[in-house]
Amino acid sequence: MSKFTFDPTIYNKSKNKPMSSVLEAEISRRSVLKRTAMVTAFAALAGTGLTACRSDDNTGSSSSGATNSEDPLTLGFESIPGAKLDAIVVPAGYTATVLAPWGTPLNDAADAWKNDGSNTSVDQLNAMGMHHDGMHFFPIGDGVDEGVLCINHEYISTSALHSSAPVTTDNERREKARKEINAHGVSVVHIKLVNDTWDVVAGSNLNRRFTSATEMDIAGPIADSDLDFLVTRYTVEQGNKKIARGTNNNCGNGHTPWGTYLTCEENWPGYFVRTDNRSQWTAEQRRMGISNRGNRYGWHTLPDDSITGEFSRFNITPSGTDANDDFRNEANGHGYIVEIDPYNPASRAVKRTALGRFRHEDCSFGNVEAGKPVVFYSGHDGRFEYIYKFVSKALWNPADADPSDRLATGAKYMNEGTLYVARFSQGGEGSWLALTPESVTEDNRRLGDVDGFGTLAEILLNAPGAADLMGATPMDRPEWTAVDPKNGAVYVTLTNNTRRDDDDSDSDNDTNVANPRANNRFGHIIRWTERSDATTFDWEFFLFGSPANGDAEINLSGLNSTNELASPDGLVFDKRGILWVQTDNGADEVEDNTNDQMLAVIPTQLNQAEGNSPVINEGNQDQLKRFFVGPNDCEVTGLAFNADNTTFFVNIQHPGNWPYSSNAAEATPQGVSVRPRAATVVIRREDGGEIGL
Ligand code: FEO
Ligand code: CA
Ligand code: CA
């Protein structure tokens, strides 16, 4: 997400202060009890040691016994300086090339991308979308030189998307809106390495697009509910109430142990508008932050001319006699984790409602074990919002790693289970609070007896509202989650929160144990390990963002000019156990020195935290290294790997004046303006070796 599109409104009015009495538990005053708990929990992690693993296992199925006779990994590159260029910067010995930028045709129905913005909506429907974000590589064959990339397109820049031709008629306005709708969503793109260059396999039958208009299936408790949350004029017309149209604001991503892609609907409420008096709205609509000002791009203002509610569906104000007659329920089909089978071009996307409805940033699965549930983690990106996990009812069967029907396997593990929300406590302990009708709220009511939460479907539809009642911990904008393939530790980026305060004379927005910095401009990363009971965990601070010249109260991780960072956002482990941290920074103190970036660290190579320090501290600065710097004005987000880690794919979103050529490291010359294009950057080593080592 860009700082330009983030909705800063605080929708969490619950004033949850689960640990209001323990504010002194900021890291400078953390208790011995906390240290003891953490050291116990993480000692097991350190003991395994991280070894060079060349496994092709993409199921993440490794929870113990990682030690073998191979040498431990070390990062084999020098941390690069910060940069402020219209170019990519990577370490010496690496190359960076542009792959599949916005507008790249996926099939013959699209004209070549035109530099004047004059491509049509049909071109856009058959070409790469805009503003690349989360991404995953699905192998074909051994996955070394061929695969399928699934790439999210979070939002658009209308100035880059369109030509400057005047738009005067309704037909022209509709065409423009259709192009915008088609530039959103997900691209599935078949790629191949030929003569040392990765390129799109144009015309492959695997290539396809999902947009803000693509009809999708919707499954799980909300779809199954007899309360008909999804009924609209369109579903009546289609004779199927388990469908939704389009996916919006696809930010981070996930994938599954059975080989499907997960795309995550983040700031979707801004695509809908309700114009009547807010007193008429449901509690869920207010809590989610549906807009009363208008769709971000004005789509709802256009008169429909053909497909039912093509544009008017974005206005969810009741206008008919009931839900069969209008689009009051249209937004209920949004806010989910959406599953896509990248290998089956005939398959439809499926929205998985059991994982809850909120502004999903991303979705990561915990390392799987035979006979145990499959677990997914997902953060809600908003100020003072929460971290969730879903635990499947079905138990993992390793035979499902390569199923004949991937979406049926998705239904098995993702349609039934329990959604939990996190509460962080003093002493490094945490608990998962189940969101079910039987749960007991903080004020000792049965959740199912509270108005608006009578059924599981209602709870999932307004998961943040249910989490408020349970006493979840309000966080500093949870972004990506990542699970260490070597030991199952879970990491989350908390990107920033400038509304966090340390004025506890009121009950609003106060710091808490897991979010200890008031005016948190630079963000932090925490991690936890699950205990065996699945409802408790042990957590600690991993890293605090800061400018290198931040004072002792700010630069808690002791960062220097080689690794200063702010607003950690994208967060991905490769299967070797290297953690890659991407930034979406808006803080001048760091931005003055470097554009957004990607850094690497191997958590299991670090000593455990000592005393009151986060894991990354003054004593281990050489372990957090800057690997990649993006071009001016961009965000670095999304990371994928080919099967042997000789190629990394990194996404550049909303660059200002880039790319100049297919060489991503070639700077746009002074005085030259290019039409900016979000793109995937392919990173390889000149000697063909593994990235990062
Ligand atoms: Fe789309 Fe929260 O980043
Ligand atoms: Ca993001
Ligand atoms: Ca306060």
Side-chain angles (χ1 to χ4, degrees):
M1 148 156 39
S2 149
K3 60 195 170 195
F4 302 111
T5 62
F6 173 64
D7 177 354
T9 312
I10 300 169
Y11 294 104
N12 182 358
K13 309 293 185 193
S14 69
K15 302 185 178 177
N16 271 350
K17 291 183 68 180
M19 287 295 123
S20 57
S21 61
V22 293
L23 294 176
E24 61 277 16
E26 352 177 333
I27 56 167
S28 59
R29 285 171 279 177
R30 286 159 73 189
S31 68
V32 172
L33 175 64
K34 179 178 176 95
R35 295 297 332 144
T36 305
M38 287 193 297
V39 167
T40 305
F42 288 95
L45 313 189
T48 60
L50 179 62
T51 55
C53 173
R54 305 295 190 273
S55 165
D56 285 333
D57 175 9
N58 73 344
T59 65
S61 56
S62 160
S63 57
S64 60
T67 306
N68 62 31
S69 58
E70 295 178 77
D71 291 336
L73 293 183
T74 52
L75 298 176
F77 62 92
E78 291 304 311
S79 194
I80 61 173
K84 302 278 293 175
L85 301 169
D86 286 315
I88 301 294
V89 183
V90 286
Y94 285 84
T95 61
T97 54
V98 174
L99 173 70
W102 156 58
T104 302
L106 296 174
N107 60 51
D108 289 347
D111 276 0
W113 180 78
K114 295 170 186 165
N115 194 26
D116 61 1
S118 64
N119 285 94
T120 66
S121 65
V122 173
D123 291 339
Q124 184 59 78
L125 179 61
N126 294 282
M128 293 296 295
M130 211 176 206
H131 285 7
H132 300 31
D133 204 315
M135 162 174 63
H136 193 74
F137 177 90
F138 294 88
I140 291 177
D142 64 9
V144 169
D145 56 9
E146 189 173 7
V148 179
L149 275 181
C150 290
I151 299 176
N152 288 349
H153 304 290
E154 188 181 25
Y155 70 105
I156 56 173
S157 292
T158 51
S159 59
L161 184 69
H162 296 301
S163 76
S164 54
V167 172
T168 51
T169 67
D170 279 347
N171 274 340
E172 288 167 343
R173 292 173 66 215
R174 280 189 286 262
E175 161 63 14
K176 194 172 167 182
R178 285 174 186 139
K179 186 175 179 185
E180 294 172 359
I181 285 168
N182 292 343
H184 282 74
V186 179
S187 292
V188 179
V189 53
H190 182 179
I191 58 169
K192 211 166 179 175
L193 181 67
V194 179
N195 297 329
D196 273 348
T197 303
W198 285 93
D199 211 345
V200 171
V201 181
S204 166
N205 70 347
L206 293 171
N207 293 346
R208 58 181 173 149
R209 286 295 318 284
F210 298 88
T211 75
S212 292
T214 307
E215 190 179 295
M216 300 178 177
D217 294 327
I218 185 158
I222 294 174
D224 294 340
S225 169
D226 56 13
L227 295 173
D228 285 347
F229 291 114
L230 303 173
V231 167
T232 68
R233 186 146 60 86
Y234 181 79
T235 68
V236 171
E237 200 172 83
Q238 301 301 310
N240 180 359
K241 65 180 182 183
K242 296 187 181 183
I243 53 175
R245 268 188 288 177
T247 185
N248 279 303
N249 215 253
N250 305 80
C251 187
N253 72 289
H255 62 111
T256 67
W258 49 92
T260 57
Y261 184 67
L262 302 177
T263 185
C264 307
E265 299 180 334
E266 191 194 19
N267 283 300
W268 55 272
Y271 289 76
F272 298 95
V273 60
R274 182 162 177 175
T275 56
D276 55 352
N277 192 299
R278 286 174 64 88
S279 63
Q280 307 290 310
W281 295 24
T282 65
E284 166 274 315
Q285 288 171 333
R286 287 194 291 266
R287 182 64 180 84
M288 288 293 179
I290 295 292
S291 173
N292 63 359
R293 294 183 300 275
N295 172 295
R296 180 170 293 151
Y297 305 107
W299 300 337
H300 67 290
T301 64
L302 297 173
D304 295 326
D305 69 342
S306 55
I307 306 165
T308 301
E310 181 182 12
F311 303 110
S312 57
R313 70 189 174 98
F314 292 103
N315 186 339
I316 62 171
T317 313
S319 58
T321 52
D322 58 31
N324 295 315
D325 227 13
D326 59 27
F327 295 100
R328 68 186 64 184
N329 285 335
E330 182 74 12
N332 291 348
H334 298 264
Y336 300 108
I337 302 297
V338 186
E339 185 175 20
I340 289 171
D341 182 348
Y343 295 110
N344 179 0
S347 61
R348 283 159 64 102
V350 186
K351 300 196 178 199
R352 300 290 182 198
T353 65
L355 280 76
R357 177 168 173 260
F358 49 92
R359 296 176 193 234
H360 285 277
E361 173 73 20
D362 90 328
C363 188
S364 305
F365 64 88
N367 293 344
V368 290
E369 268 185 76
K372 299 273 180 65
V374 179
V375 176
F376 289 94
Y377 299 96
S378 187
H380 179 166
D381 184 5
R383 289 172 173 158
F384 306 101
E385 293 295 353
Y386 307 130
I387 296 169
Y388 298 80
K389 82 164 176 177
F390 171 80
V391 177
S392 70
K393 182 177 180 194
L395 305 180
W396 177 243
N397 176 355
D400 286 331
D402 188 21
S404 57
D405 185 338
R406 292 176 195 84
L407 291 177
T409 308
K412 173 180 174 183
Y413 292 106
M414 299 183 86
N415 283 355
E416 224 181 329
T418 304
L419 185 68
Y420 296 85
V421 68
R423 177 157 60 195
F424 293 82
S425 303
Q426 193 179 20
E429 297 176 0
S431 46
W432 291 110
L433 311 168
L435 301 177
T436 68
E438 292 70 38
S439 299
V440 177
T441 65
E442 238 195 347
D443 59 359
N444 279 318
R445 289 181 288 171
R446 182 179 172 273
L447 182 58
D449 292 338
V450 180
D451 246 12
F453 300 98
T455 63
L456 178 60
E458 290 165 285
I459 290 169
L460 294 170
L461 191 73
N462 186 7
D468 295 342
L469 293 165
M470 296 303 298
T473 300
M475 309 298 286
D476 287 345
R477 292 187 54 198
E479 298 264 15
W480 290 48
T481 56
V483 177
D484 192 326
K486 299 302 176 189
N487 57 34
V490 190
Y491 293 69
V492 66
T493 46
L494 300 160
T495 196
N496 58 56
N497 185 351
T498 51
R499 302 289 174 84
R500 181 73 72 181
D501 69 49
D502 52 7
D503 169 14
D504 53 353
S505 63
D506 58 31
S507 58
D508 289 341
N509 306 343
D510 299 336
T511 54
N512 60 40
V513 285
N515 303 274
R517 292 198 294 192
N519 186 24
N520 184 6
R521 302 182 60 232
F522 308 115
H524 59 293
I525 297 176
I526 59 175
R527 70 176 184 183
W528 66 86
T529 52
E530 300 282 355
R531 293 186 186 170
S532 55
D533 61 4
T535 56
T536 53
F537 58 89
D538 297 287
W539 69 273
E540 68 177 351
F541 295 108
F542 183 70
L543 165 68
F544 285 92
S546 173
N549 63 2
D551 64 24
E553 292 288 305
I554 292 295
N555 196 0
L556 297 164
S557 280
L559 304 182
N560 59 44
S561 63
T562 71
N563 58 13
E564 62 180 341
L565 69 103
S567 296
D569 188 338
L571 192 70
V572 184
F573 270 100
D574 66 37
K575 65 192 171 197
R576 302 166 300 183
I578 302 175
L579 179 63
W580 300 88
V581 182
Q582 302 174 320
T583 67
D584 179 16
N585 172 36
D588 291 346
E589 293 91 330
V590 175
E591 198 170 334
D592 286 349
N593 300 329
T594 187
N595 291 337
D596 275 316
Q597 56 184 307
M598 184 169 81
L599 306 98
V601 60
I602 307 175
T604 50
Q605 300 293 65
L606 300 177
N607 292 324
Q608 298 309 292
E610 293 290 339
N612 295 325
S613 297
V615 173
I616 294 180
N617 58 52
E618 278 183 353
N620 54 24
Q621 289 303 293
D622 56 337
Q623 300 296 305
L624 175 67
K625 294 185 174 184
R626 183 181 292 127
F627 176 78
F628 178 105
V629 180
N632 292 331
D633 303 323
C634 85
E635 168 183 347
V636 178
T637 181
L639 175 62
F641 322 98
N642 76 335
D644 64 358
N645 292 305
T646 53
T647 299
F648 273 24
F649 305 93
V650 181
N651 280 336
I652 295 300
Q653 188 187 87
H654 60 80
N657 193 22
W658 177 93
Y660 181 66
S661 73
S662 61
N663 175 5
E666 182 177 7
T668 307
Q670 286 282 339
V672 172
S673 289
V674 301
R675 184 174 289 265
R677 300 173 81 182
T680 301
V681 172
V682 175
I683 311 288
R684 305 192 78 217
R685 255 168 68 166
E686 287 165 355
D687 66 3
E690 286 190 42
I691 309 298
L693 303 184

